[in-house]
Amino acid sequence: MGNPAFSKQNISTVYIPAVLLVIGVGLFKKEWIPFAALLATAAGGLKIYTSTPPKFLKPDTFQDLPLTQTTRTSHNTKIYRFSLPSPSQVLGLPIGQHISIAATPKNADKEIVRSYTPISSDEDLGYVDFMIKSYPQGNISAHMDLLKVGDTMKFRGPKGAMVYTPNMCRHIGMIAGGTGITPMLQIVRAIQRGRASGDKTKVDLIFANVNPDDILLKEDIDAIAQQDPNFNVYYVLNNPPEGWTGGVGFVTPDIIKAHLPGPAPDMKLLMCGPPPMVSAMKKAVEALGYQKARPVSKLEDQVFAF
């Protein structure tokens, strides 16, 4: 949410009154200025602390949230909006991390837990949005496709080894497949928001899908690419339409070499998508000279798989 300490509200309700207090005291008793400054600092700090939006997530406890809105974006994909307990509350999810969602689907004999990354962020008060593609064989995704407004799901987090911080590296390459775009877009949006405060990270994204209709959030991605010269996207389709100018088939080593940063100490390569795709990409990038990906990625790794 940017820096809550320097919000417009705090400038008008904390900093200006504090300055006026110190000036007012100084006009009458200069020797009291240090005490007035101390009092203003303490009062201002308390005001900022108590006005910071509370965080919803708990890492060790599942909590229920009600579904308040669904928006269909394709034949098998919806955006699900869940309301937080308070309209002034934030989810409390660091950029790059994800959430566990739990439910007991119909005909299931036990609770199922899956990980998802929201498409909203802590910039958004009072709700959290997930874009989820429903698969016939998918336990949680198929269950969510049947949800009605008012139904609840269970959430726990944050989780994950990736926590993005501004300028953590010079250049980030991304390979995403299908709904694997969600953690990538979370990071890209954070970088874009941080441009004004000095985030200079360059980002190149390869986004692979089967059909044109499968390209999730394409308008959002294209808008960012148009606005930000340090963000580029290259689309790859298995079944491209006539006149398609992007990649065709699978993401190949040649596509990676042409559209992503080469191996270097000050770059990272992030990947997220179906397990077979991620496994193939790990082998491909290792052959191109990137560091070998671990079975479970760590923040310091050059190649990080969500």
Side-chain angles (χ1 to χ4, degrees):
M1 293 187 61
N3 189 340
F6 293 98
S7 67
K8 291 181 179 179
Q9 181 181 3
N10 285 333
I11 289 173
S12 61
T13 62
V14 177
Y15 297 111
I16 292 177
V19 171
L20 293 176
L21 173 64
V22 174
I23 293 175
V25 169
L27 292 175
F28 293 96
K29 287 279 188 178
K30 290 184 179 180
E31 60 271 25
W32 287 2
I33 288 179
F35 301 101
L38 184 62
L39 176 62
T41 301
L46 180 61
K47 170 67 177 177
I48 291 172
Y49 176 78
T50 56
S51 64
T52 301
K55 297 177 181 179
F56 169 75
L57 286 174
K58 295 180 180 179
D60 302 318
T61 305
F62 275 108
Q63 301 176 88
D64 290 344
L65 288 177
L67 179 69
T68 54
Q69 182 181 324
T70 61
T71 304
R72 183 170 292 280
T73 60
S74 74
H75 70 284
N76 62 354
T77 305
K78 293 180 185 176
I79 295 175
Y80 300 84
R81 173 164 295 185
F82 293 87
S83 286
L84 300 175
S86 164
S88 62
Q89 197 166 22
V90 298
L91 185 63
L93 184 70
I95 299 299
Q97 296 204 301
H98 50 275
I99 299 170
S100 292
I101 300 181
T104 304
K106 185 179 179 180
N107 299 324
D109 56 1
K110 63 179 181 178
E111 186 174 75
I112 305 295
V113 180
R114 293 290 184 269
S115 296
Y116 290 95
T117 302
I119 59 172
S120 57
S121 72
D122 283 2
E123 296 286 313
D124 305 301
L125 300 181
Y127 67 89
V128 54
D129 286 346
F130 295 89
M131 175 174 275
I132 296 177
K133 181 179 291 189
S134 177
Y135 298 95
Q137 71 278 17
N139 291 313
I140 292 294
S141 66
H143 174 77
M144 291 186 73
D145 191 44
L146 299 175
L147 290 179
K148 297 178 176 61
V149 169
D151 291 343
T152 61
M153 293 286 287
K154 298 165 69 175
F155 300 86
R156 183 180 68 191
K159 60 181 296 188
M162 171 57 68
V163 178
Y164 177 78
T165 53
N167 296 309
M168 65 187 299
C169 58
R170 173 185 58 85
H171 202 157
I172 294 178
M174 297 177 169
I175 305 174
T179 54
I181 190 62
T182 53
M184 308 302 186
L185 192 56
Q186 184 192 46
I187 293 172
V188 168
R189 284 172 169 164
I191 291 172
Q192 189 190 38
R193 289 195 301 269
R195 293 296 192 206
S197 53
D199 195 336
K200 299 178 181 178
T201 309
K202 182 175 175 57
V203 181
D204 293 320
L205 165 66
I206 295 173
F207 188 15
N209 289 277
V210 177
N211 302 302
D213 292 345
D214 296 322
I215 304 177
L216 304 177
L217 300 165
K218 187 176 188 299
E219 290 185 2
D220 299 58
I221 296 168
D222 289 343
I224 296 173
Q226 188 173 19
Q227 297 165 13
D228 190 340
N230 283 320
F231 171 68
N232 299 291
V233 59
Y234 184 73
Y235 297 103
V236 179
L237 290 177
N238 287 116
N239 302 318
E242 187 175 349
W244 176 252
T245 58
V248 177
F250 296 104
V251 177
T252 64
D254 285 343
I255 288 177
I256 294 171
K257 287 172 64 176
H259 297 281
L260 296 185
D266 56 353
M267 62 77 62
K268 280 187 179 294
L269 186 58
L270 312 181
M271 54 182 67
C272 186
M277 175 187 175
V278 171
S279 179
M281 291 301 95
K282 285 182 177 181
K283 294 176 181 177
V285 300
E286 183 182 356
L288 290 172
Y290 297 88
Q291 293 177 6
K292 183 177 181 178
R294 305 188 211 210
V296 178
S297 297
K298 296 184 179 296
L299 180 62
E300 64 269 20
D301 293 352
Q302 183 182 73
V303 178
F304 187 99
F306 288 92

